[in-house]
Amino acid sequence: ETGVTQTPRHLVMGMTNKKSLKCEQHLGHNAMYWYKQSAKKPLELMFVYSLEERVENNSVPSRFSPECPNSSHLFLHLHTLQPEDSALYLCASSHGTAATNEKLFFGSGTQLSVL
Amino acid sequence: GQQVMQIPQYQHVQEGEDFTTYCNSSTTLSNIQWYKQRPGGHPVFLIQLVKSGEVKKQKRLTFQFGEAKKNSSLHITATQTTDVGTYFCAGPGQGAQKLVFGQGTRLTINP
């Protein structure tokens, strides 16, 4: 266990559904991240929260909406997704707020299928 | 934008053979990190290299950071079936919080 818990592990949703992914870290870290991992693409950074403030929004479509109510919890709200959004969504955390020299602790991911 | 290129994309070896994956950047990196993702799993941090020409070892794994800090390699000596997985390098991108990952090298092993 990495100390980063993601739920659900698997999710199947239709294009008109609304769902949320949840991430919780038990490490006392100050930064949390959402990454998208598709079959044929590198890990793509979606959002970064540092001390509960969003500091990076990597040109992600508005159908993905993050929420960070406190430093231990991170959500990704999904609505009107497209089939090409099917992927593994990984949450990560780091102790400090500068990811470029901090090691990331990843959760197990949510495997999302959009029908 | 900042890119980190990793080769090869796939590598299949016989158990006991050596394996190497290479990571190249178009710009100088302040540091580089390596992660391993087992099949069906999530990326797990292996190591971070910071100094020019740095070499670090973890048992059968040897990590190198190039003199110009633009490339890095991971070498596994005498692979075992437990080494199966995808190995990613990652370096700083644009923005303080952005870590850019390479495409990964997927290692499979014939026992």
Side-chain angles (χ1 to χ4, degrees):
Chain A
E1 286 297 324
T2 63
V4 180
T5 305
Q6 281 187 251
T7 54
R9 291 295 304 273
H10 300 89
L11 179 62
V12 179
M13 60 188 288
M15 289 190 283
T16 58
N17 291 160
K18 289 184 181 181
K19 296 286 184 184
S20 295
L21 310 185
K22 180 183 175 182
C23 178
E24 183 175 0
Q25 57 99 358
H26 313 272
L27 302 168
H29 285 174
N30 294 313
M32 296 186 76
Y33 313 79
W34 280 116
Y35 277 86
K36 177 183 178 182
Q37 187 174 37
S38 307
K40 296 185 178 180
K41 288 187 179 181
L43 280 157
E44 299 174 74
L45 179 64
M46 299 175 73
F47 301 103
V48 181
Y49 277 82
S50 175
L51 298 172
E52 302 161 42
E53 283 192 28
R54 190 193 304 182
V55 295
E56 183 87 26
N57 177 355
N58 222 28
S59 302
V60 179
S62 59
R63 56 187 184 269
F64 296 92
S65 174
E67 179 190 0
C68 186
N70 55 62
S71 60
S72 299
H73 293 86
L74 185 65
F75 295 89
L76 187 62
H77 304 300
L78 316 171
H79 63 98
T80 59
L81 294 192
Q82 304 298 311
E84 59 264 28
D85 296 322
S86 298
L88 180 67
Y89 288 85
L90 290 159
C91 173
S93 69
S94 66
H95 178 73
T97 56
T100 57
N101 59 8
E102 300 270 351
K103 72 178 186 181
L104 297 180
F105 291 76
F106 284 88
S108 300
T110 295
Q111 186 65 54
L112 174 67
S113 297
V114 181
L115 304 178
Chain B
Q2 168 69 22
Q3 280 196 330
V4 176
M5 306 301 293
Q6 202 173 341
I7 55 170
Q9 193 173 354
Y10 303 97
Q11 183 78 59
H12 181 76
V13 301
Q14 291 289 127
E15 188 175 14
E17 291 182 339
D18 292 356
F19 158 77
T20 305
T21 174
Y22 301 90
C23 189
N24 294 289
S25 168
S26 55
T27 59
T28 302
L29 302 171
S30 59
N31 71 89
I32 195 157
Q33 298 180 19
W34 285 91
Y35 291 79
K36 176 185 178 181
Q37 184 172 20
R38 294 181 185 275
H42 55 274
V44 175
F45 176 85
L46 293 177
I47 208 160
Q48 182 183 64
L49 304 172
V50 178
K51 298 177 183 176
S52 168
E54 188 171 13
V55 178
K56 285 188 176 180
K57 292 192 175 185
Q58 290 179 351
K59 297 183 180 178
R60 294 177 294 103
L61 278 61
T62 301
F63 302 85
Q64 286 190 304
F65 201 8
E67 293 290 341
K69 301 181 76 172
K70 286 187 175 182
N71 56 73
S72 181
S73 65
L74 158 60
H75 179 83
I76 302 179
T77 304
T79 55
Q80 300 175 0
T81 54
T82 53
D83 296 326
V84 163
T86 301
Y87 293 84
F88 295 95
C89 62
Q94 293 174 347
Q97 274 81 18
K98 191 166 184 176
L99 198 62
V100 177
F101 281 80
Q103 304 96 311
T105 296
R106 184 179 169 191
L107 173 63
T108 53
I109 298 174
N110 216 19

